[in-house]
Amino acid sequence: MLKRNKSPHLLSARDLTRDDLLDLIDRSRYFRDRVETRAIPQILVGRIVATLFFQPSTRTRLSFESATQRLGGTCMGFSDPNVSKAGGEWRESMADTARVLNGYADAVVIRHNEVGAVNLYAEESAIPVINGGDGRGIYAEHPTQALIDLFSMEDDFGSLDGLRILVVGHVNQRCVHSLLLFLARFSDVAVFLVTENSERLSEPEERELHSLGLAFEYVEALEDVIERVDAVYVIGTKNPNDVAKKLVLQSEILNRSAPHTRVYHPLPRGIELPPEIDNSRKASYFRQVGNGVPVRMAILDRLLVSTH
Ligand code: CP
């Protein structure tokens, strides 16, 4: 995790090495076990985590708040910038908002509609800043969601090296950007992308992924590779109710996959992931969303407590 000013932050998937990722996966498993046995170490007693959400969220904000409180800490913040001076007619700068929060909290989780806003905030932050999803399109990221995705896949398959993953939907989205950067840290990963031509990754991103050694290719249809993949990562589109047919994971297509194949989705879903798949043993997405709290506990532990 990068050190900027005096604090480590989690702003981009680029901040994490392979060793960081394996460490966070181990910590996530540890915290999941502790949650299941109701023996949660109270490592955040006396600490405050602020959640500043300039865009709506169910999973990211509430799972960070749950993680904090389960670890003995407390939370404050806003889920709508218009109830604060950071939005509305004031639009106080990110830098000034950071200078204020430096005295109020011990860590900050931010979601923002603009790429770069979280980084601007971090430049003035004396406390750890976590990117809870910023912007759209090129350079937009959602590293903590991608960490949940990565942990869920590692948990299902035992290793990420050698994984063959099919990503279907509008792939030029923040959680996909972060996930691909993480997958590039592992060996012999093969990624297949099914999308619309207008929704492909940007050329700079493709160049970066190639330079990191990630093997990826676009394929026309799910049917072209469904029999050869371990993981199917379904992602929504700009309009959840208007999805091109080729981006819908029909159960008859999933039935052609290998018995060990598993399906992931960061949620919320649109019509690209039909509910009839929910009862399939291949559906991992509700286990995946359940991993949100232990993964975010692991991130808070790493940034606030075990900073090595
Ligand atoms: N997956 C995800 O980021 O969900 P929210 O938008 O509800 O936080």
Side-chain angles (χ1 to χ4, degrees), residues 243-259:
V243 180
K245 193 171 173 223
K246 76 173 206 168
L247 304 182
V248 176
L249 182 62
Q250 308 282 2
S251 53
E252 52 272 26
I253 296 175
L254 182 62
N255 289 343
R256 295 187 213 167
S257 64

Side-chain angles (χ1 to χ4, degrees), residues 56-61 111 142 145 266-268:
S57 164
T58 298
R59 282 144 285 265
T60 307
R61 185 173 67 84
R111 170 167 291 186
H142 196 352
Q145 175 62 50
L267 304 177

Side-chain angles (χ1 to χ4, degrees), residues 188-208:
D188 301 321
V189 172
V191 180
F192 305 96
L193 301 160
V194 179
T195 191
E196 294 177 294
N197 282 339
S198 59
E199 300 299 328
R200 286 184 173 215
L201 303 173
S202 66
E203 282 184 24
E205 184 175 4
E206 291 185 357
R207 278 198 299 277
E208 180 178 10

